[in-house]
Amino acid sequence: PHETGIALTGMKGYIRGGQPGPTVAVIGELDSLRVPGHPHANPDTGAAHACGHNCQIGMMLGAAVGLKMLEGHEALAGNVALMALPAEEFIDVQDRWKMHQEGKLGFMAGKQEFIRLGAFDDVDMAMMMHTASQSAEEAKFAFGGTSNGHVVKYVRFIGKSAHAGGAPYEGVNALQAAMVALNALNTQRETLRNEDTARLHGIMTSGGASVNAVPADVRYEGRVRGRNIEVITDANMKMDRCLRAGALAMGAKVNIVTMPGYLPMINNVPMMDLMKHNAASIVGEQNLVTHDVTRNRGGSTDMGDLSHIMPVVHPYTTAATGSGHGTDYLIEDYVQAVVNPAKAMAMTVIDLLTGQSEKAKGIIETSPPQMSKQQYLDLQDGRLVEELYEGR
């Protein structure tokens, strides 16, 4: 039994045990990246699996194959929710913002929107794995650590068009405003502390309409990352000041949309210990590594959002070569990429839900959430801000 169309393209199905008990979610992500030049990139869109989301779906389905054999079994006190969630990468921001304005989306990332829509209301704990490159991890499985949180920026510099050769002085150059803003942004990097892992970065998605016309509509998609909400808030304020400065310098306008991004990752230690034990039985304890809770990979994931409202575990499996999100990121070891993680997750679900689900209930009772669902929704709603600044 399953639902489709959750948050537009998401899916959720169930394997139910023979006795009542908690529900454990096994998650895979429906996503890819735009990486033109990747050997497996789609020739039309540039979409490529340069982050291993395809493997996550394989892991989830592999776990489902094993757990399906226990459906209705008296030994299983609880349920398994098999969940395929879209849009973790938070790219194509202009399209997401349009869907939000049209009412098709509330939040603009998969797990955020699943939470808002209530798709996690009957879930008590969740797990998934992510692939890693051999250049990032030497062990076959890596546990622990955290991630950056972030907010997402969609920015339009608005000028006035004019003939670029005949009368450029009659226009207001939005591209020059953007260049001033980005140069100002670069000056802020020395104000960011290394230990806060703050990152300010983005791409220009439109630089004007015609080379013969002064650019009047220039668009930028950006990201503000940091170790915690306070760091992100400070860095986001600095980015907004720089964006306004570009508009002010040229007498342009700038429309700044700040979208609620992700929260830092919190791995539940008891769940992590259970999965480590199972992973060790598959690949040997010498092939595991456990990172300190403060070790930050620098990237971001909406699994961090989920980790604030329920116990979750999100380890990494080393099965790729190359650089994540790069043209050389390739899955080289299918067994370690998909089969071993599927086994480890299925075994962990069994540990949690057998024995009258005592282990799952114990983790739930001793792992209070960082915030309620409503507190999470209120926080994210408050982070969505649109501002039109007129530089004069």
Side-chain angles (χ1 to χ4, degrees), residues 359-372:
K359 290 181 178 177
K361 292 174 182 175
I363 290 171
I364 294 167
E365 290 171 3
T366 58
S367 306
Q370 298 291 308
M371 59 184 72
S372 68

Side-chain angles (χ1 to χ4, degrees), residues 251-273:
K253 299 178 184 178
V254 61
N255 193 78
I256 306 168
V257 179
T258 302
M259 303 179 190
Y262 302 159
L263 302 181
M265 182 71 209
I266 305 171
N267 280 289
N268 181 269
V269 174
M271 285 185 74
M272 186 171 68
D273 288 344

Side-chain angles (χ1 to χ4, degrees), residues 93-129:
V93 175
Q94 180 175 334
D95 294 336
R96 297 188 195 216
W97 178 238
K98 181 181 178 182
M99 286 188 282
H100 172 81
Q101 290 180 307
E102 293 171 346
K104 296 177 182 177
L105 289 174
F107 294 140
M108 287 157 276
K111 297 181 193 66
Q112 293 180 335
E113 187 70 342
F114 263 56
I115 292 169
R116 188 188 74 85
L117 294 171
F120 279 107
D121 285 358
D122 64 346
V123 174
D124 299 289
M125 50 182 43
M127 64 180 69
M128 63 173 288
M129 285 203 199

Side-chain angles (χ1 to χ4, degrees), residues 231-278:
V231 170
I232 297 166
T233 300
D234 176 71
N236 184 56
M237 175 190 68
K238 292 172 179 175
M239 177 177 272
D240 284 350
R241 284 200 316 240
C242 294
L243 298 172
R244 296 186 199 110
L248 179 62
M250 298 303 299
K253 299 178 184 178
V254 61
N255 193 78
I256 306 168
V257 179
T258 302
M259 303 179 190
Y262 302 159
L263 302 181
M265 182 71 209
I266 305 171
N267 280 289
N268 181 269
V269 174
M271 285 185 74
M272 186 171 68
D273 288 344
L274 275 181
M275 193 175 286
K276 281 168 60 178
H277 175 77
N278 290 318

Side-chain angles (χ1 to χ4, degrees), residues 5-22:
I6 307 170
L8 302 185
T9 60
M11 300 178 68
K12 179 183 179 185
Y14 293 94
I15 296 171
R16 301 193 183 276
Q19 298 187 66

